[in-house]
Amino acid sequence: MSPKLEAQTSALDFALTVHPVRDDVPTSGEDGDNTTALPTATLEQEDVSLHRRIWQRWCALYTANSFLILILCAILLAYAYPPLGAVYVAPQITATWIAVIFIFMSTLYEMIASLRKLVALAGMAIQTKELSKAFTRFFFNVFVNVFNFGVVSGIVYGFSRFMLYVNALPKSLADGMTICATLPVAPNMVQVLTNSAGGDEAAAIFNAAFGNLVGVFLTPALILFYLGATAEIKFGDVFFKLGLRVVLPIVIGQVLRNFFPPAKTFVRRYKKYFKRMQEWCLVFIVYTVFCKTFSEGSDASTGDVFIMIALQLVLLCFVMVLAWCLLRILFRKEPKLQAMGLFGCTQKTVAMGVPLINAIYESNPLVGLYTLPLLIWHPMQLVLGTAIAPRLADYVKRREDSQELNQMSEDGETESEKPIQAAEMGEAIEADGIAAPNKRHSMKNQDTSLNSTITF
């Protein structure tokens, strides 16, 4: 045997001694290679866990932004085949009447229930004192609603007319921006953001309910005031349709609530399903609206839409800064009202805005472009409100702590002044005690002198 072969044989014997071959574990063949079995199983587990993590994240994203995702899908579906939503689903009945009536009944039912909570002092997290203040703060409530309906709409209307004058926007999008600015506050969003910012929750509930109840008729009046009546829109017809689609369902709903207990129990039991149906009705209305717009054409391009988005962001930031400055001036000692007012003055509701726009402009082919600015304003106010809510909460806490320290220092000064006042009162009493005998002696001498005078 050659030396090289002997060296290889010795190395093989040493390797078998250190790492012997196991008969109980297959090394290859049908059962597979044990050296690669564990890594393969680990990779499969990692793939499964990765897929599960992706699915969980998508579910969380959809839960948090379900309405926006559905709206985007509805617009894309409407663009893909407009006749389906413009003709075949009978939008003049399903979207204009059935969906609108259901949304108004559910939305305003919640608003009236919120007002009843305030009247009945329900809501364990809100103190009775705060609830009474929500009604008695007349000036603050008037300021919030006047700013939301009047100031915001006036600013947006003036700015949109300027952009229309310089040919920066088509008329449909400029009118849509004005329509969006005339809408009332978003009830659920303003309550959630006010609570997150440490604001006055009772004031948020009251102003949200009051603004939405008034906005049913004030918003059409403002739209007609700014944009005027056209061939498709007549003042009397608008309010007649709103009376049939809004007022009559509200009256019927309140009658069933007060005089038919099973209906009240049914609504309470399936409340979460009603909210989901309300969301789907909104998506359906948006779908039919854009189907009508895409099928009949529009005067706006993709570039005009992006310009409108940028302008909406600028206007929202501007009115929020203006509202904050006015709140700091007019209610400088009320940090909770400042936090609530910032959201209550600038937010707009999409739950009532979409049905209102559809009810007013149901025969107008540009109704989709009238709705689009509202669909842009809604997520912007949510993103900005969520971003500034923690800072507002810190501001409210800091201001309240400062006011408490000032109050305690004032109370301390008052307590320290009490002994001084008591000492001064004691000295005055002592002085009166010393002066009293002298005064009586002087009066006695005067009496003696007077008697002597009378005798002579």
Side-chain angles (χ1 to χ4, degrees):
M1 183 179 294
S2 64
K4 184 176 180 180
L5 184 58
E6 291 179 357
Q8 292 179 352
T9 305
S10 302
L12 180 60
D13 294 338
F14 177 77
L16 291 174
T17 304
V18 177
H19 301 287
V21 178
R22 295 178 56 185
D23 297 333
D24 58 337
V25 179
T27 57
S28 60
E30 296 181 356
D31 294 334
D33 190 356
N34 185 57
T35 57
T36 59
L38 290 177
T40 302
T42 305
L43 290 175
E44 291 177 356
Q45 292 177 358
E46 290 179 356
D47 291 339
V48 171
S49 61
L50 179 61
H51 295 159
R52 183 175 299 174
R53 287 199 302 269
I54 293 175
W55 175 251
Q56 290 175 351
R57 290 182 180 180
W58 162 250
C59 291
L61 178 65
Y62 178 80
T63 303
N65 305 281
S66 60
F67 180 72
L68 298 179
I69 295 173
L70 291 174
I71 288 293
L72 181 60
C73 294
I75 295 175
L76 294 176
L77 183 61
Y79 180 77
Y81 188 64
L84 178 62
V87 179
Y88 298 128
V89 298
Q92 67 275 11
I93 298 175
T94 56
T96 305
W97 284 93
I98 299 175
V100 169
I101 289 175
F102 179 81
I103 290 172
F104 274 118
M105 283 189 65
S106 58
T107 302
L108 294 177
Y109 182 89
E110 293 179 1
M111 294 299 98
I112 295 173
S114 298
L115 283 177
R116 289 190 174 187
K117 280 185 179 181
L118 288 173
V119 174
L121 301 180
M124 303 303 294
I126 307 175
Q127 297 179 0
T128 304
K129 184 178 179 181
E130 295 177 353
L131 288 169
S132 61
K133 284 182 179 180
F135 290 101
T136 57
R137 285 170 175 157
F138 178 77
F139 178 64
F140 175 77
N141 297 330
V142 170
F143 172 81
V144 170
N145 287 279
V146 168
F147 192 97
N148 186 276
F149 284 106
V151 177
V152 175
S153 62
I155 292 173
V156 174
Y157 174 75
F159 188 77
S160 64
R161 296 309 101 177
F162 173 76
M163 299 303 294
L164 186 61
Y165 177 77
V166 298
N167 294 324
L169 278 180
K171 190 175 185 303
S172 57
L173 291 179
D175 291 347
M177 293 171 62
T178 303
I179 293 169
C180 171
T182 61
L183 294 171
V185 66
N188 294 329
M189 189 181 298
V190 73
Q191 294 177 33
V192 172
L193 292 177
T194 299
N195 190 21
S196 301
D200 195 320
E201 187 179 354
I205 296 174
F206 175 78
N207 283 281
F210 179 78
N212 279 264
L213 291 173
V214 173
V216 173
F217 300 100
L218 184 57
T219 293
L222 289 173
I223 292 174
L224 294 173
F225 173 75
Y226 286 125
L227 305 181
T230 62
E232 297 88 1
I233 306 170
K234 295 181 180 180
F235 191 83
D237 293 342
V238 167
F239 283 98
F240 177 73
K241 289 187 295 184
L242 289 176
L244 290 179
R245 301 176 189 179
V246 179
V247 178
L248 184 60
I250 292 175
V251 173
I252 295 175
Q254 292 305 306
V255 169
L256 292 176
R257 173 189 173 93
N258 295 318
F259 300 100
F260 192 65
K264 184 177 179 180
T265 305
F266 177 81
V267 172
R268 285 184 176 179
R269 180 179 299 175
Y270 299 101
K271 184 178 180 180
K272 61 179 182 180
Y273 299 105
F274 275 95
K275 287 184 175 293
R276 190 171 300 174
M277 289 177 62
Q278 179 184 355
E279 182 178 292
W280 279 96
C281 286
L282 281 173
V283 174
F284 178 72
I285 293 176
V286 171
Y287 168 70
T288 57
V289 159
F290 277 91
C291 283
K292 184 185 299 183
T293 300
F294 289 139
S295 62
E296 301 188 17
S298 66
D299 59 346
S301 63
T302 305
D304 295 331
V305 172
F306 281 102
I307 292 175
M308 181 271 297
I309 293 173
L311 295 178
Q312 287 288 82
L313 178 60
V314 172
L315 287 171
L316 178 57
C317 294
F318 177 76
V319 295
M320 290 183 73
V321 171
L322 178 61
W324 180 251
C325 294
L326 294 176
L327 288 165
R328 290 288 302 272
I329 295 172
L330 299 176
F331 308 97
R332 55 190 182 88
K333 294 183 178 180
E334 298 285 349
K336 286 190 172 184
L337 291 184
Q338 295 173 14
M340 182 269 144
L342 178 61
F343 301 120
C345 289
T346 57
Q347 293 196 351
K348 300 298 178 180
T349 175
V350 72
M352 291 187 63
V354 171
L356 268 177
I357 296 172
N358 190 43
I360 296 172
Y361 294 97
E362 60 178 331
S363 60
N364 194 316
L366 299 177
V367 63
L369 297 179
Y370 295 156
T371 311
L372 187 59
L374 174 61
L375 300 178
I376 300 301
W377 190 285
H378 177 76
M380 283 183 179
Q381 68 186 9
L382 177 61
V383 172
L384 291 177
T386 305
I388 65 175
R391 295 179 180 271
L392 277 179
D394 295 337
Y395 166 78
V396 171
K397 186 176 184 304
R398 187 170 63 252
R399 285 291 306 276
E400 287 189 334
D401 292 343
S402 176
Q403 291 178 1
E404 289 180 1
L405 290 175
N406 293 335
Q407 186 66 32
M408 291 175 61
S409 61
E410 291 177 1
D411 294 340
E413 290 177 0
T414 305
E415 293 293 334
S416 62
E417 289 176 358
K418 286 183 179 180
I420 299 175
Q421 294 176 356
E424 291 177 353
M425 291 178 62
E427 292 178 357
I429 293 173
E430 184 178 355
D432 291 340
I434 296 173
N438 296 333
K439 186 175 182 181
R440 287 196 298 271
H441 180 70
S442 174
M443 292 178 63
K444 184 176 180 180
N445 292 337
Q446 290 179 2
D447 292 340
T448 304
S449 172
L450 182 60
N451 291 335
S452 301
T453 305
I454 294 173
T455 302
F456 285 105

